[in-house]
Amino acid sequence: MAKDRLNRRAFLKAGSLALGASIFTGASAFAGGFTNKTLQAWSCGGLAEAFQPANHAFEQKTGAAIAYTGAFAGALGKSLLSGTAETEVFAPRVLELARKLRAQGKMRWFEPLCFTRYVVATPKGNPAGIEGIADLSRDDVRTALAPDASPPGGKASLIIMEKAGVVEKARKNAVQSGDCVQTAMTTLADGKADAAVIELRISRLPCFAGRLEILPIPEKYIPPAPVPFTIGMMKWAKNLDLAEAFIEYILSEKSQRFFEAAGFIHARSSEGRRLTHKYGVTDA
Amino acid sequence: MLKTFFSNWKRRIVQFISLGLIGEWSFYGIFRCPFAVPYIGCGNCPVIQCPGRSLWLWSWILIGGSVLVFGRAFCGWICPGGLVSEILSMGSFLKSKLKKRVSAGLAYGKYFVLVLALYFFFLAQNPRWAIPIRTGDFFKSVGLTVEHADPVWIYKILFVLAALGLSLAVPMFWCRFLCPTGGAIEILSRFSLFGFLKNARCSDCDQCRHRCHLETRPSEINCVQCGDCKESCKPNAIEWKSPLAPWRNPDTNFGSGQARSANKPHFL
């Protein structure tokens, strides 16, 4: 009995040591595995506020350096499709763009990354008493629009208002109608307009934090094209292990908080899974 | 040449410090700002990497304050564009070749550019002429900005670069004839408290104009209060003083004669 107890203790001790050693060496190997390695990652500019802290966390964890570019995905995609530019990882908006890159053999594979949300924004305190998108047709509601901004901020907002039957009044009552969503939001946050249709992420930008209130828009009004974002490995990826580890980190629960803080629904959340199914975000 | 360049070493030190502080912002304004008019309203610019997002408001407050105290000293002491122009101007082969009348006429170009800038900023709501590369390696981002910019944005950049480059021929071409910020400061500097002025001992020998990299004289159009001319004045007719307090120096006669003509306000 005593011998048996001793053996068990010895076994547990040796096992713990072995487990500890393997965890330590495994962690060390992961942390040091990508030291001094650089990965070029591009994404839709709207994701920059989520990617920046996520990249930083990945760099700290692995020792790798992420050379990150965030800009209008349509423009980046055009450069990649035309062959004037290359990157190793790309996280575009619009499923069609990822599929085009896949079809051309420029993207090896992709996975759903996150989804955007459109909302009605009002200045802090909602002085015009807006209750929903239908109120944008009220004669006394001044709107701030950016119809000439890049499509996710410009065209998509107009489609939403059109589907909700308020676009004519919203255009007529626009106190701002330019080509920059952030300029329009400054007008709104300053109280010079009463309402606007924007992506939730805009309200999370530091310059608007605490200056706007948001109201949900029914999903039936939201056009599908600008909603899903994907992340994929490009054919130019030099270090496949690093690219894969980076994508896996971005898709992990750890980086989910960065995306949610920036106003997105992460693909691996329960709502994200529903939207993945709804929008059919699957690799071809 | 280098000896002349560093003759006013205090000014060079200030210029190089300001190059370190706001030089990066200057480059962003030229090469990566997607808007028609850069450097204004940067607080909500989508280019999140640009240092102007945190610098612009205080910078303009400080520039405004400096104009009211020191006139166009910002151009001569702080502006990185001014420093670049000065370096390019070291090899100008048309130095002192432009006739005074031509130079004075071209100097109104900056007010024309200023009016254009005000139109685009206030009336046209500062349109966006390029895709903002929100964040990325500087030179690759410049390449992407150029690749996806509207032609008008390309023309604007070419215009600015060509005007800066023309300093290789005509000294300080951009600063003297086209800079809208310089134009705005020049207008406001009429109300400045201090500056370099000529006193009654001025004999119109024009030594100061020959010494000046902007080919002007104290208190005349395009004087950037650099003070480089002071040592070149043999009759000691250049003084640092307040145009609002001429009684402090009995040599300065603002009421009549040569000194009044010499310190003629810029826009009269």
Side-chain angles (χ1 to χ4, degrees):
Chain A
M1 185 79 175
K3 193 180 172 188
D4 183 45
R5 203 181 299 139
L6 192 67
N7 283 347
R8 197 185 303 141
R9 192 177 298 149
F11 171 77
L12 288 173
K13 194 176 171 185
S16 306
L17 279 171
L19 183 66
S22 67
I23 288 170
F24 176 75
T25 48
S28 303
F30 186 61
F34 301 124
T35 306
N36 299 329
K37 298 272 191 292
T38 300
L39 179 75
Q40 196 178 145
W42 285 13
S43 87
C44 170
L47 296 173
E49 278 76 16
F51 261 98
Q52 281 187 319
N55 292 346
H56 183 63
F58 181 76
E59 285 172 335
Q60 283 198 320
K61 186 182 159 94
T62 63
I66 303 299
Y68 172 68
T69 296
F72 173 46
L76 295 182
K78 204 171 161 186
S79 296
L80 294 169
L81 287 165
S82 67
T84 58
E86 298 175 358
T87 188
E88 295 176 275
V89 170
F90 185 36
R93 187 200 284 262
V94 179
L95 186 55
E96 200 51 38
L97 177 55
R99 287 189 172 148
K100 251 186 207 171
L101 288 162
R102 280 280 286 122
Q104 284 197 9
K106 287 176 174 163
M107 188 180 266
R108 290 169 190 264
W109 50 264
F110 68 80
E111 290 215 26
L113 169 59
C114 63
F115 301 87
T116 194
R117 273 180 277 197
Y118 284 88
V119 294
V120 173
T122 73
K124 181 92 180 154
N126 191 0
I130 308 289
E131 290 177 0
I133 192 164
D135 283 348
L136 268 70
S137 66
R138 274 170 35 192
D139 286 330
D140 63 327
V141 171
R142 300 163 300 166
T143 57
L145 310 179
D148 302 320
S150 53
K155 196 178 166 190
S157 296
L158 289 180
I159 291 173
I160 291 167
M161 287 188 278
E162 197 176 338
K163 283 186 173 181
V166 301
V167 71
E168 273 182 38
K169 275 284 176 64
R171 274 186 184 278
K172 194 181 157 199
N173 294 334
V175 291
Q176 171 118 29
S177 187
D179 56 9
C180 180
V181 176
Q182 291 197 36
T183 305
M185 281 313 98
T186 303
T187 303
L188 184 73
D190 289 346
K192 293 172 189 163
D194 301 311
V197 171
I198 57 164
E199 283 183 85
L200 176 64
R201 71 175 187 89
I202 301 288
S203 70
R204 301 282 174 89
L205 296 176
C207 52
F208 301 123
R211 298 176 66 200
L212 298 172
E213 285 186 18
I214 56 157
L215 301 159
I217 293 176
E219 217 167 275
K220 61 183 178 182
Y221 297 140
I222 313 288
V227 176
F229 294 79
T230 55
I231 185 165
M233 190 190 288
M234 305 301 285
K235 73 167 186 179
W236 299 285
K238 293 176 201 86
N239 186 331
L240 298 183
D241 289 342
L242 173 57
E244 208 164 319
F246 176 69
I247 293 173
E248 189 46 47
Y249 182 79
I250 293 297
L251 291 172
S252 72
E253 267 184 35
K254 278 183 183 167
S255 70
Q256 195 168 315
R257 64 196 157 104
F258 299 123
F259 284 82
E260 280 171 5
F264 298 97
I265 301 162
H266 197 268
R268 292 198 182 166
S269 65
S270 57
E271 175 67 355
R273 286 195 196 96
R274 180 184 75 80
L275 293 171
T276 299
H277 180 70
K278 178 184 172 177
Y279 292 110
V281 190
T282 50
D283 200 349
Chain B
M1 196 181 275
L2 271 180
K3 197 178 168 188
T4 312
F5 186 75
F6 285 104
S7 61
N8 190 346
W9 59 272
K10 287 177 194 166
R11 188 163 76 89
R12 294 298 174 217
I13 287 174
V14 174
Q15 279 182 313
F16 280 105
I17 289 172
S18 77
L19 181 68
L21 293 174
I22 59 173
E24 190 186 3
W25 180 26
S26 301
F27 280 104
Y28 268 83
I30 296 173
F31 296 107
R32 281 184 61 180
C33 179
F35 295 102
V37 185
Y39 306 120
I40 313 180
C42 308
N44 56 10
C45 177
V47 182
I48 48 182
Q49 256 182 332
C50 178
R53 281 161 55 96
S54 53
L55 288 173
W56 76 280
L57 188 57
W58 282 108
S59 295
W60 283 110
I61 290 170
L62 289 172
I63 290 169
S66 79
V67 174
L68 293 177
V69 181
F70 303 120
R72 213 178 145 180
F74 168 79
C75 304
W77 290 73
I78 308 288
C79 178
L83 177 61
V84 170
S85 287
E86 275 194 67
I87 292 168
L88 293 174
S89 301
M90 287 167 77
S92 300
F93 54 87
L94 291 176
K95 187 165 171 54
S96 305
K97 293 283 195 300
L98 280 191
K99 289 185 176 171
K100 282 182 201 170
R101 194 176 294 170
V102 174
S103 180
L106 286 174
Y108 285 93
K110 56 183 176 289
Y111 307 118
F112 175 72
V113 180
L114 174 63
V115 169
L116 265 184
L118 292 173
Y119 165 78
F120 280 120
F121 188 78
F122 288 107
L123 296 179
Q125 296 181 346
N126 208 11
R128 216 169 65 176
W129 288 342
I131 298 294
I133 307 302
R134 299 196 69 204
T135 176
D137 173 74
F138 186 83
F139 290 105
K140 280 183 186 165
S141 299
V142 171
L144 284 166
T145 307
V146 171
E147 187 183 344
H148 298 289
D150 289 348
V152 67
W153 188 90
I154 307 278
Y155 298 143
K156 183 187 81 167
I157 300 309
L158 289 177
F159 172 75
V160 172
L161 293 180
L164 275 169
L166 271 172
S167 292
L168 291 166
V170 180
M172 308 296 288
F173 190 90
W174 168 258
C175 304
R176 287 162 73 188
F177 306 134
L178 294 168
C179 178
T181 307
I185 293 177
E186 185 105 32
I187 293 169
L188 294 172
S189 66
R190 297 177 71 185
F191 308 106
S192 65
L193 293 174
F194 300 99
F196 284 101
L197 297 173
K198 297 188 289 290
N199 62 31
R201 289 193 290 268
C202 176
S203 59
D204 275 336
C205 69
D206 261 0
Q207 278 302 310
C208 52
R209 193 192 302 279
H210 292 304
R211 175 68 185 81
C212 178
H213 55 288
L214 286 112
E215 301 186 341
T216 187
R217 304 196 303 176
S219 79
E220 292 184 9
I221 195 162
N222 278 331
C223 173
V224 294
Q225 308 298 339
C226 67
D228 288 3
C229 57
K230 197 169 183 320
E231 297 306 313
S232 68
C233 183
K234 285 175 187 155
N236 201 19
I238 298 170
E239 293 176 283
W240 171 257
K241 60 196 300 185
S242 171
L244 302 178
W247 56 87
R248 288 173 125 183
N249 188 330
D251 284 343
T252 308
N253 181 356
F254 286 85
S256 62
Q258 196 179 35
R260 187 174 63 173
S261 150
N263 291 296
K264 189 171 67 176
H266 304 152
F267 300 97
L268 298 177

